[in-house]
Amino acid sequence: MRRTRIVAMASLLVSTLASTAAAQTPGAQSPPPPPRSLPGPAPTVRDVAYAKSDASTGQGHLLDLYLPPNATGPTPVVIFSHGSAWFADNGRQDAQVLAAALFPAGYAVAGVSIRSSRQAKFPAQLHDVKAAIRWLRANAAKYRLDPAHIAIIGESSGGWTAAMAAVTGDVPDLEGSEGTTGVSSAVQAAVSFYPPTDFLQMDAWALRPCDPAADVGRGQMRFCHDSPSSPESQLVGCAIHGCAEVVQRANPIAYVGKADPPIMIIHGGSDPLVPHAQGELLYQALNKACRDAVFISMPVAGHGVWNRMMSDSTLAAGATRRSTASGDCSVQNPTPYTPTWATVIEFLDRYMRK
């Protein structure tokens, strides 16, 4: 019953099931509503344990692998991490949507679930995704994957996962010991949709002032990120303003450096949960460090719409693209731009086909 409520809470924050989940009676015995069923291919291999897994406690150490049909050689692979405000271990959810978008370009996709904040506190989530990266690299020959070209894409808390994996490939203290060890956990590219980054600045940049009385567990979206019950506080195990040092360890901006792979950030200006400034702060840090980075700003887009951001032209109204390059630290200022899945594929091809 406790797990039921946690999954419902996650759905409130990341999907169009918000109204359904919010209407459930606390403590009800009925199961949570099923995840949305979006179109896409079935996994080629499902429920692979990339680290020790206990099905009775969740799916946090499982992945699904989608292999493109008719692949003729080692295939570059893109990890997908779905968001849940870290409340659920549902990272594999909707990976078939990404597979449908990337199969024509010859990419494999791995939908990866990591542990929720109720199952383990940070840095366990980062340890998990790193274990999945190492597993894919160690088992590349078995599935005809290219171990030298692994990327990661995530949305919301999954966008945070993608960013953290990208900027900590050279941080041994955050490697963890889950699953396969002795193999690199570095990725060659990352795409983060509306990632939380600097938790301590989330309330200051929110679209509307937060309500200290709002209850995130009941779907009240104006909750304060500074609250002890907020997703960010639950992730790190303390009210974020009371443990700034721990929070800083969970901030991808703190790890930006010369070893970072290219990162694309896509953020909606109408996001009511993860302020647009969160993605911009990460981009500015990458810019200052002269890294390869792209920031796509979409003023109309809200939260939880990562697929529509690439396929619904109405969400592209007023969108702009800016970038910075590592070679000469050159900057391209914001220019009008309409993002599509071709945008993501072109970005991946540039760095994953070398």
Side-chain angles (χ1 to χ4, degrees):
M1 185 169 62
R2 179 176 175 82
R3 177 171 171 78
T4 293
R5 187 177 180 189
I6 293 168
V7 173
M9 288 163 61
S11 298
L12 285 169
L13 295 171
V14 298
S15 76
T16 56
L17 294 173
S19 59
T20 302
Q24 291 181 339
T25 303
Q29 297 296 324
S30 58
R36 295 166 297 165
S37 179
L38 297 178
T44 309
V45 185
R46 73 170 71 236
D47 295 336
V48 177
Y50 63 82
K52 184 178 180 180
S53 179
D54 183 352
S56 66
T57 61
Q59 55 176 327
H61 283 159
L62 299 177
L63 65 79
D64 293 337
L65 194 57
Y66 299 76
L67 303 177
N70 305 318
T72 58
T75 306
V77 58
V78 180
I79 291 169
F80 179 66
S81 180
H82 197 285
S84 69
W86 303 282
F87 285 152
D89 54 3
N90 65 333
R92 298 183 290 171
Q93 182 180 326
D94 295 341
Q96 76 277 5
V97 176
L98 186 64
L102 298 188
F103 270 10
Y107 288 95
V109 170
V112 172
S113 289
I114 61 177
R115 285 172 290 176
S116 72
S117 60
R118 300 300 177 90
Q119 294 165 327
K121 300 303 180 187
F122 175 82
Q125 292 72 23
L126 181 57
H127 290 171
D128 287 355
V129 75
K130 284 176 170 288
I133 295 166
R134 294 193 300 265
W135 184 92
L136 288 166
R137 191 158 271 133
N139 290 275
K142 179 178 180 180
Y143 296 102
R144 295 183 61 80
L145 302 175
D146 182 352
H149 293 98
I150 300 175
I152 184 167
I153 293 177
E155 62 99 26
S156 192
S157 60
W160 170 89
T161 302
M164 286 294 290
V167 298
T168 62
D170 61 341
V171 183
D173 289 348
L174 289 175
E175 198 65 27
S177 58
E178 299 289 343
T180 301
T181 57
V183 181
S184 172
S185 68
V187 296
Q188 283 62 61
V191 179
S192 291
F193 286 86
Y194 38 90
T197 54
D198 188 342
F199 301 163
L200 297 178
Q201 296 198 53
M202 293 185 77
D203 283 339
W205 289 95
L207 285 178
R208 295 184 298 170
C210 70
D211 178 2
D215 183 353
V216 62
R218 295 182 181 275
Q220 297 169 350
M221 297 302 181
R222 290 180 61 188
F223 65 88
C224 293
H225 295 277
D226 290 352
S227 166
S229 63
S230 75
E232 297 75 27
S233 295
Q234 290 298 306
L235 173 69
V236 298
C238 50
I240 57 174
H241 273 284
C243 54
E245 184 175 341
V246 177
V247 174
Q248 184 69 354
R249 291 189 70 217
N251 183 350
I253 296 169
Y255 304 100
V256 169
K258 293 183 178 180
D260 298 342
I263 300 176
M264 174 179 281
I265 303 157
I266 305 167
H267 215 125
S270 299
D271 193 322
L273 292 176
V274 180
H276 180 270
Q278 290 287 294
E280 191 161 16
L281 286 168
L282 176 57
Y283 172 76
Q284 292 293 352
L286 293 164
N287 182 358
K288 185 176 180 179
C290 295
R291 306 312 305 147
D292 290 308
V294 176
F295 185 75
I296 297 176
S297 175
M298 304 180 69
V300 176
H303 193 81
V305 290
W306 62 279
N307 182 37
R308 288 181 56 210
M309 291 169 98
M310 299 294 100
S311 58
D312 185 344
S313 60
T314 64
L315 295 184
T320 60
R321 180 189 186 278
R322 61 182 123 161
S323 64
T324 182
S326 60
D328 56 1
C329 207
S330 60
V331 174
Q332 181 188 57
N333 291 324
T335 57
Y337 190 79
T338 300
T340 65
W341 278 116
T343 302
V344 174
I345 291 170
E346 290 167 5
F347 176 79
L348 293 174
D349 282 350
R350 182 174 180 181
Y351 303 106
M352 296 276 282
R353 298 293 187 181
K354 294 181 178 181

